[in-house]
Amino acid sequence: MQTINFSKYHGCGNDFIIVENIEENVAKLAIEMCNRYTGIGADGLINLDRKNIKMNFYNQDGSHGSMCGNGLRCLSAYLLDNKIINKQEFEVLTDAGKMKVEVVDSKIPLFRINLGNPSFDSTKLQIETVKPNFLNEKLTYKNNIYYGYAVLIGVKHLVIFVDDINGITKELGSYLSNNPIFKDAINVDFVSLINNKELHLRTYERGVGFTKACGTGAAASFIITNKFKGGNDTIKVVMDIDSLDITKNESDEVIMTGKALKICDGTYIWRN
């Protein structure tokens, strides 16, 4: 039996447990702590490597993720709250590379994160296709045709435009996410365009299912809307609980701005 200190944060309702320097059986720990009935309950677990300021991210099912946009803001708030970082600008190392973080308002707290440049490369996206990219491609489910746009922005995403995001079922989300064409599964973003400055988003996350929000999903939806659907260079992405502002700079790097809020601290009894 082991006692583990943890903190819990959320970004737009996307919730995360944060622990530090766990070295063994982290995937198993993620499954148990993230369980909403027998654990703390969360969409994911962040295991901070404090020495290197590195984010190690695990989904609810224990699968490893290269990074997480909402999780990165939550970790940034944790770093400030625990005085691990006392700068207005800093970097967090992730498996998708170094992410630049700017503290916009420490009282809210509000963060601006540079997610870097997107990629449409099918090889990097691990898509089973001879085409160099997967853009406006047909996917069929129960005789219905959906057109998907795949993009990598730290995390792999498939953007699907629909008229009504509330009518999307978890069965459809799971089918598209786990379609064999996506070798390691993919996050699926269902997008409803309101106008060229606002869209509504619902994301089916790989290894989790539908979540209240997804930061990289908001970024992916912005990228595709801006590039292919006449979207503005700054778009408000509205999700179940809150919204994110997504824009791009002169180098076409994607910038995400949003809040991260602390829920609680505690200790977890791990009977591993």
Side-chain angles (χ1 to χ4, degrees):
M1 190 167 67
Q2 181 180 357
T3 299
I4 298 173
N5 294 325
F6 74 90
S7 294
K8 185 175 177 180
Y9 286 73
H10 83 88
C12 301
N14 201 190
D15 56 345
F16 306 94
I17 296 165
I18 302 176
V19 296
E20 291 193 33
N21 301 319
I22 304 297
E23 297 181 356
E24 297 181 352
N25 301 321
V26 185
K28 183 173 183 285
L29 178 65
I31 293 170
E32 295 184 11
M33 289 190 81
C34 291
N35 189 296
R36 296 192 183 276
Y37 303 100
T38 59
I40 307 303
D43 291 325
L45 175 77
I46 298 168
N47 182 24
L48 170 66
D49 174 353
R50 182 187 277 239
K51 180 180 177 181
N52 298 301
I53 313 298
K54 184 176 189 295
M55 173 187 190
N56 296 295
F57 178 71
Y58 292 82
N59 291 305
Q60 192 182 73
D61 68 347
S63 59
H64 185 263
S66 56
M67 63 88 67
C68 171
N70 285 331
L72 185 55
R73 294 199 319 283
C74 289
L75 180 60
S76 298
Y78 177 89
L79 293 171
L80 291 183
D81 289 344
N82 291 278
K83 297 179 171 54
I84 300 168
I85 292 288
N86 58 6
K87 303 175 182 177
Q88 292 301 108
E89 295 185 17
F90 54 91
E91 291 183 340
V92 175
L93 182 62
T94 76
D95 287 334
K98 288 183 178 180
M99 298 293 164
K100 299 176 182 177
V101 180
E102 177 186 350
V103 182
V104 179
D105 189 331
S106 59
K107 293 181 180 179
I108 295 177
L110 184 69
F111 299 93
R112 182 179 294 120
I113 297 178
N114 186 325
L115 296 172
N117 295 105
S119 173
F120 304 98
D121 188 321
S122 292
T123 301
K124 291 180 180 179
L125 283 156
Q126 296 179 281
I127 300 176
E128 191 71 56
T129 179
V130 296
K131 297 182 178 180
N133 50 51
F134 193 88
L135 299 170
N136 201 31
E137 295 292 335
K138 287 184 180 181
L139 293 161
T140 303
Y141 176 72
K142 291 187 176 180
N143 297 319
N144 293 314
I145 296 174
Y146 300 89
Y147 292 89
Y149 298 76
V151 59
L152 177 68
I153 183 67
V155 182
K156 299 173 290 185
H157 282 272
L158 179 72
V159 177
I160 305 279
F161 292 93
V162 296
D163 293 329
D164 178 18
I165 58 172
N166 295 317
I168 300 302
T169 65
K170 64 180 181 180
E171 289 79 15
L172 173 60
S174 177
Y175 173 80
L176 293 172
S177 178
N178 297 291
N179 192 304
I181 195 172
F182 307 115
K183 298 177 185 178
D184 191 34
I186 197 167
N187 299 292
V188 184
D189 304 303
F190 296 99
V191 175
S192 176
L193 297 179
I194 306 306
N195 51 55
N196 68 344
K197 295 181 181 180
E198 182 176 334
L199 62 83
H200 288 186
L201 170 66
R202 193 176 181 210
T203 299
Y204 186 97
E205 293 196 46
R206 179 180 71 93
V208 185
F210 280 115
T211 56
K212 293 297 182 182
C214 180
T216 54
S221 301
F222 161 80
I223 293 162
I224 300 302
T225 301
N226 175 257
K227 190 173 181 65
F228 299 103
K229 298 292 184 177
N232 199 43
D233 286 349
T234 298
I235 293 178
K236 180 179 182 180
V237 179
V238 181
M239 292 162 285
D240 281 1
I241 291 177
D242 209 338
S243 63
L244 294 171
D245 292 322
I246 313 292
T247 188
K248 63 181 182 180
N249 61 21
E250 62 279 359
S251 301
D252 282 338
E253 294 172 320
V254 179
I255 313 297
M256 172 183 66
T257 302
K259 294 179 286 188
L261 302 173
K262 185 175 185 175
I263 299 171
C264 65
D265 295 315
T267 55
Y268 176 72
I269 308 302
W270 192 23
R271 299 174 177 84
N272 60 325

